[in-house]
Amino acid sequence: MKKICLIASLLMTMTLGSTQVFASVPSLNVNAKAALLMEPTTGKILFDQNSHDKLPPASVTKVMTMLLIYEAVADGKIKWDDVVTVSDHAAGMGGSQIFLEPMEQQTVRDLTKCVVVASANDAAVAMGEFIAGSEESFVAMMNEKAKSLGMNDTTFKNACGLDTEGHITSAYDIAVMTRELVTKHPEVHEFSTIWMDTIVHKTAKGNQEFGISNTNRLLKNYSGATGLKTGSTADALYCISATAKRDSLNLISVILGAPNPTTRFQEAMKLLDYGFANYSITLGEPVGTEKGVIKIYKGEKEEVTVAVKNQVNCLVSKGNKSELESKVEMLEALKAPVAQGAKAGEIIYTFEGKEVGRSDLVTTEGTVKADLKDFISRLAKKWLAN
């Protein structure tokens, strides 16, 4: 049985197939209007400061833009090598930009890279228009997705985060959409860990190389930094949704309304330091671990092996040597035909009698219904055995 540390102190709950635990707020003083520290695989919140205050997020807005881009690719709606023609509207975005020109053509991959790395407003709006037909339609998609994720503090008014009346979110909601992006589409870190790169402007005037650099200084100054998005405007001040990983522990640190860029990064690092110093992840059994067999009623195969579908992550605090326990609950049988990956039971993890995570147990192979020949063969084997 694996040795683990005491279950982490938490102050809020987000469900991901596990029971959460509540505890007091750590004594941290964060110099920002709002802040939050989350472990994304479990959704557990380790620090909260005004996390539901509704505030302008500046370019941290683009976490949602990025999420919808990656979802569109995953769903087959768009492809990375699709060519996007830049509109007058997209090219006219102010603020951080890569200076796209009207009618310029860029691939989805390069525009997305510019959104993630360079926080390019023009690239973000161009991608929104490409996915939804117009920025307005894309913003409607953003708000619909926010609602589906339970982001009740959020109203988006644009795709890039420029100051607009009523364009608001919260540290909590930013953590929610960041979690959705990095857990469902971890490939985003391919771009979010780039420090400097180039694209080629392709216009009627010819091709010209253009350098882009990351706005996230943590990539150079913080061990384990993996992203994700900075933002600053006159109304929002200085903001960040920072992601980092050490060993098996991932963290999301959200800062909203810091007074200057240096403080923004310092306070994000303070939360990350607290998380890495006090918590770790204990892993349940790996995906594919076999946990026995299940009988198949009227199947060509009389039984099939079952295995763990998802690896459970258990967030624990450092210092205690208690044990993570597990038990298997299996159905009595499945009726043929049975598909590969059919649910046959669950493995449930507990700590000190409290459930901390569970995973389905699924069949490792399928089987069709038995025919007359199969039944005769089985009867013959039983007769010979006697």
Side-chain angles (χ1 to χ4, degrees):
M1 194 63 64
K2 294 183 178 179
K3 298 287 185 179
I4 68 166
C5 309
L6 184 63
I7 289 295
S9 296
L10 308 172
L11 57 118
M12 298 182 67
T13 181
M14 294 180 63
T15 58
L16 189 65
S18 62
T19 300
Q20 311 298 336
V21 183
F22 296 82
S24 59
V25 179
S27 56
L28 295 175
N29 180 26
V30 177
N31 185 10
K33 291 181 179 180
L36 185 138
L37 179 67
M38 176 190 286
E39 195 290 308
T41 64
T42 62
K44 294 179 181 179
I45 297 171
L46 308 177
F47 177 82
D48 177 325
Q49 176 178 298
N50 304 324
S51 71
H52 285 282
D53 285 5
K54 297 180 179 181
L55 299 166
S59 282
V60 181
T61 297
K62 295 187 181 81
V63 172
M64 179 60 79
T65 304
M66 292 150 56
L67 174 59
L68 293 182
I69 292 171
Y70 278 88
E71 286 190 341
V73 172
D75 292 341
K77 184 174 182 179
I78 63 175
K79 297 181 178 64
W80 289 117
D81 57 358
D82 283 347
V83 175
V84 179
T85 301
V86 178
S87 70
D88 289 347
H89 175 64
M93 290 295 107
S96 57
Q97 58 186 301
I98 54 169
F99 303 99
L100 295 170
E101 295 185 9
M103 302 305 293
E104 179 175 346
Q105 293 188 322
Q106 294 285 348
T107 64
V108 166
R109 176 176 292 277
D110 279 350
L111 288 177
T112 303
K113 180 170 65 175
C114 291
V115 173
V116 181
V117 176
S119 193
N121 294 337
D122 44 4
V125 173
M127 281 304 307
E129 292 175 335
F130 184 66
I131 291 171
S134 67
E135 185 180 12
E136 292 79 8
S137 295
F138 187 73
V139 171
M141 289 177 61
M142 295 170 68
N143 286 313
E144 183 179 353
K145 185 66 179 181
K147 184 177 180 180
S148 74
L149 293 175
M151 296 169 56
N152 298 322
D153 305 324
T154 297
T155 302
F156 293 116
K157 296 291 186 178
N158 58 60
C160 58
L162 289 172
D163 285 336
T164 304
E165 185 176 356
H167 185 90
I168 53 171
T169 186
S170 66
Y172 177 89
D173 285 2
I174 288 171
V176 169
M177 65 180 178
T178 300
R179 177 195 182 199
E180 183 76 3
L181 176 59
V182 299
T183 58
K184 298 290 181 61
H185 307 283
E187 62 272 23
V188 69
H189 294 308
E190 175 191 351
F191 290 147
S192 68
T193 54
I194 291 173
W195 181 243
M196 298 186 73
D197 206 337
T198 60
I199 63 164
V200 176
H201 279 301
K202 303 167 185 176
T203 69
K205 300 175 184 177
N207 295 344
Q208 184 175 1
E209 191 171 79
F210 183 83
I212 59 173
S213 59
N214 206 304
T215 58
N216 182 6
R217 294 201 324 234
L218 296 185
L219 293 179
K220 286 290 187 181
N221 299 322
Y222 193 79
S223 174
T226 58
L228 181 67
K229 192 70 208 71
T230 63
S232 63
T233 62
D235 291 345
L237 301 179
Y238 295 89
C239 312
I240 189 172
S241 180
T243 59
K245 181 179 182 180
R246 293 180 185 172
D247 298 322
S248 297
L249 180 60
N250 290 274
L251 292 173
I252 297 169
S253 174
V254 179
I255 301 294
L256 290 182
N260 56 65
T262 299
T263 299
R264 166 181 59 189
F265 294 119
Q266 288 176 339
E267 300 305 90
M269 289 190 291
K270 181 189 295 184
L271 291 186
L272 293 172
D273 284 344
Y274 168 80
F276 287 125
N278 289 281
Y279 300 97
S280 63
I281 285 287
T282 292
L283 301 175
E285 296 187 70
V287 173
T289 301
E290 295 183 358
K291 300 300 294 183
V293 297
I294 188 167
K295 293 181 179 179
I296 307 298
Y297 178 63
K298 292 185 177 181
E300 182 181 66
K301 298 174 182 177
E302 295 186 79
E303 61 183 26
V304 296
T305 303
V306 300
V308 175
K309 181 179 181 181
N310 299 305
Q311 188 169 41
V312 168
N313 292 347
C314 182
L315 181 68
V316 300
S317 63
K318 297 178 178 179
N320 190 286
K321 296 187 181 296
S322 299
E323 290 187 346
L324 181 67
E325 299 180 348
S326 66
K327 66 177 180 178
V328 169
E329 293 184 353
M330 195 89 72
L331 299 174
E332 290 186 7
L334 292 174
K335 184 178 180 181
V338 174
Q340 182 180 5
K343 182 176 178 178
E346 292 182 322
I347 181 169
I348 302 167
Y349 296 92
T350 59
F351 179 82
E352 295 182 343
K354 294 182 179 180
E355 182 180 331
V356 293
R358 62 173 62 201
S359 170
D360 286 349
L361 298 175
V362 296
T363 56
T364 60
E365 57 184 333
T367 184
V368 296
K369 287 183 178 180
D371 57 20
L372 180 59
K373 181 180 177 181
D374 295 318
F375 286 119
I376 293 173
S377 176
R378 288 174 192 172
L379 287 172
K381 288 180 181 178
K382 290 180 181 179
W383 183 80
L384 290 173
N386 292 328

